Structure formats: structure tokens, C-alpha cells
Amino acid sequence: MNQLEIIDMVKGKGFKITPQRRAIIEALFFFEKPPTAKEVLEIVRKKHPEISLDTVYRNLNLLAEIDCLIQINLKNSETSRFEIIKNHHHHLICLGCGEAVCLESCILDRHMGVLREKGYQIVGHAFEIYGYCPACRTAG
Amino acid sequence: MNQLEIIDMVKGKGFKITPQRRAIIEALFFFEKPPTAKEVLEIVRKKHPEISLDTVYRNLNLLAEIDCLIQINLKNSETSRFEIIKNHHHHLICLGCGEAVCLESCILDRHMGVLREKGYQIVGHAFEIYGYCPACRTAG
DNA sequence: TTATTAAATAGGAATATTCCTATTTGGAGG
DNA sequence: CCTCCAAATAGGAATATTCCTATTTAATAA
């Protein structure tokens, strides 16, 4: 998913495109690792010095709700990170180094049908596995 | 899983049993709905008026790490809730009323084998589906 | 029982995240 | 182009959660 596709998605759901929102979406593509909300703020402030942290959080949450972004909450009390969804997938997150390893398939699919039949409307989901990668395991 | 089993689990992992820790574990069984950290604090303070919120959080996190507890993070910005694990399972959480519907099977099992073979050590996981239950859906 | 030590605690500071409110603005329709 | 209004914003307050440090204590072994 690229910037334009995300913007179309936002419009399609009936939300407005503001300069701040556009800048936040742009910023998300600058990073190699999924950024924190603060890191996004720093980038966006170059164009919009007055933007508030709340606006960043609000937009990140919106993007997560419409399934353009996933919020990664490490258990080891690092602050949350936000990653653009390219192909929909989930992660194994290493508690040692924070590396997020992609899992191939989306496990939600199995449940979707059953839940829909029961009358539930699904708007999002989170699935994370916590553990240690081989390197951190060796290092102790 | 009952109180004694949890205490054994804690001991088994090499952690100490303090009066505060024991009281927190007891308290978790008082609630009908998974409580927030503050709600746990209130109960525990009846026996330990001086206990700190940090101690509650620290112990809840510990119990979650050793898989005796799951932390439920609603997306609608309600504060986190903590639920004793009886049979291991996951939830669908309604964004309207906060109801947590249990899913029968643990979806992690499919991935466990593959990850272990690759040398990963898994210590925990989280899987949550966010949406609306039939009642809230009708209510708009 | 006593000594020892790593783990746990209390309390307050620091940080992360969300809420609140007055104000601004995107975009639809005339 | 204008008008209009729901949605979005800034800024600061409120809350949730974690961190830090000096002190206490559970559990082990002598």
C-alpha cells in the first residue's frame, strides 16, 4: 500500500484530507523501522511546526482503524510503534532487540466467517507473539 | 487455574511470594469482569493500605509474562483490563460495550512449531479482534 | 536461627497516551 | 465562488503506565 492508496482509503471511508493528515501519512514512509508517535511528530513538525502530539496520535489511531497501519505494543515497556500495512500480516516481536519478524499468513481469516455469521462486525484485530529471536537467545 | 496453581507457577519460575503479590493474586478472583489496575489496587489496599500502583502494574505484568493473565487493551481508549487465564483462549472485544467474547481455540498453535524450528523462543502472545457485537451494531 | 543476597517494594518523578474545549477548515451543495 | 457544518486541529489538562532509587524482605544455605 502506498501513500495515494492510503489517502484514497481515508477519503473512501468519509474522512477529510487535511494538510496535517497528509503530512503524517507521508512521514510514515520515511522510516526503516516502524516509528513511535514522537518520531512521526518530529518529521511532521518540519512542515507543520505547530502540530500537536494529539493530532499525531489521533491520525495514527484512525489509520489503524481503517486497516492501513498496525500498532505494535512491545511488552517490554518500550513505547508503541506504528507500521504501514503493505501486505496484511502479523509479527513475532523479539523482546530482546525489538525486531519484528513477519508471519506469512493472516490467521484471522479462519475466524472471520464464523463471527460474521453470528452478527459481529469486525473492524480490526491485533495478533502478536512475544519471545526471543535466535540471536538474543544465544546472547542470553 | 486457581490461586494456588498461580502461586505455584510463580514459585516455579523462581519468583518470590510476597504478601502484596499474594494479595494481588487473590484480588483477581473477586471480579466478574476483568478489572483495571486501579480496581485491583482498591481491593488490595484493604489489606495493604500502603501498596503502590507501580507494584500492582509490576505484578500484573509478571503474571502476564508467565501466562497466568492476559492484558486486554481496548482500542477505544478505555484503560487496560487484566483477566485470569482459565483455559487458554482469546477474545473478540466489542468496541461498543467492551464485552469480551471468548474464541474457542488458540490460534497460536499452528505457528508454534514453525517458529520453534527456526530457533525462536516464544514466551507469550496476544491476539485480539476489534469490532461490534450484534447489539451495539443494531444500536448504531 | 542467622547471614546473605537477589528480588520486591513504596513513593514520587517521568513519560506515554487520551481527553476537553474553543477555534479552524475541508469539501459538499447551491 | 459563497455558505455551511461536521470533522479536524492546537494546546493544555487529565490520566495511564513506567521508571528510578533507597529501603525492605523472601528464600536459601550454613
Side-chain angles (χ1 to χ4, degrees):
Chain A
M1 199 153 18
N2 61 31
Q3 297 184 31
L4 289 181
E5 287 172 327
I6 291 180
I7 288 177
D8 283 346
M9 185 84 96
V10 172
K11 283 182 186 167
K13 297 277 182 180
F15 299 104
K16 296 175 180 174
I17 302 298
T18 65
Q20 293 94 332
R21 178 163 290 166
R22 190 184 296 270
I24 289 168
I25 294 172
E26 274 179 24
L28 287 170
F29 287 86
F30 286 164
F31 300 93
E32 299 182 0
K33 290 186 180 182
T36 65
K38 265 195 173 176
E39 288 168 348
V40 173
L41 182 74
E42 284 172 22
I43 298 293
V44 176
R45 282 222 161 135
K46 291 177 184 174
K47 281 192 179 178
H48 298 271
E50 77 297 340
I51 198 173
S52 74
L53 188 52
D54 182 49
T55 296
V56 173
Y57 273 110
R58 203 165 359 85
N59 277 284
L60 293 177
N61 286 335
L62 175 69
L63 292 174
E65 276 168 22
I66 66 175
D67 210 33
C68 292
L69 196 68
I70 14 177
Q71 176 170 356
I72 303 175
N73 295 305
L74 292 177
K75 288 286 179 186
N76 60 352
S77 79
E78 204 190 303
T79 173
S80 299
R81 294 182 169 274
F82 300 86
E83 182 179 29
I84 289 291
I85 294 179
K86 285 157 194 167
N87 303 316
H88 187 77
H89 64 284
H90 295 289
H91 294 98
L92 181 151
I93 295 158
C94 176
L95 294 180
C97 60
E99 180 198 13
V101 181
C102 297
L103 303 177
E104 306 76 48
S105 63
C106 173
I107 323 102
L108 181 62
D109 300 338
R110 275 171 61 194
H111 288 280
M112 287 288 256
V114 183
L115 289 168
R116 281 213 185 105
E117 282 169 15
K118 291 182 181 171
Y120 289 90
Q121 179 191 0
I122 297 171
V123 300
H125 61 283
F127 175 48
E128 292 178 352
I129 304 178
Y130 305 103
Y132 295 95
C133 66
C136 289
R137 213 177 143 188
T138 309
Chain B
M1 202 156 14
N2 61 32
Q3 297 184 30
L4 289 182
E5 286 172 328
I6 291 180
I7 288 177
D8 283 345
M9 185 84 95
V10 172
K11 284 182 185 168
K13 297 278 182 179
F15 299 106
K16 296 176 181 174
I17 303 297
T18 65
Q20 294 92 331
R21 178 162 290 165
R22 190 184 296 269
I24 289 169
I25 293 172
E26 275 179 24
L28 287 169
F29 287 86
F30 286 164
F31 300 93
E32 298 182 0
K33 291 186 179 182
T36 64
K38 265 195 172 176
E39 288 167 347
V40 173
L41 182 74
E42 285 171 22
I43 297 294
V44 176
R45 282 220 161 135
K46 292 176 184 174
K47 281 192 179 178
H48 298 272
E50 76 298 338
I51 198 174
S52 74
L53 188 52
D54 183 48
T55 296
V56 173
Y57 273 111
R58 202 166 359 86
N59 277 285
L60 293 177
N61 286 334
L62 175 70
L63 292 174
E65 276 168 24
I66 66 175
D67 209 33
C68 292
L69 197 67
I70 13 178
Q71 177 169 356
I72 303 175
N73 295 304
L74 292 178
K75 288 285 178 186
N76 60 353
S77 79
E78 205 191 301
T79 173
S80 300
R81 294 183 169 274
F82 300 86
E83 182 179 29
I84 289 291
I85 294 178
K86 284 156 192 167
N87 303 318
H88 187 75
H89 64 283
H90 295 290
H91 295 98
L92 181 151
I93 295 159
C94 176
L95 294 181
C97 60
E99 180 199 12
V101 181
C102 296
L103 303 176
E104 307 76 46
S105 63
C106 174
I107 324 102
L108 180 63
D109 299 338
R110 275 172 60 195
H111 288 281
M112 287 288 257
V114 184
L115 289 168
R116 282 214 184 107
E117 282 168 16
K118 290 182 181 172
Y120 288 90
Q121 179 191 1
I122 297 170
V123 301
H125 62 283
F127 176 48
E128 293 179 351
I129 304 177
Y130 305 103
Y132 296 95
C133 66
C136 289
R137 213 176 145 189
T138 309

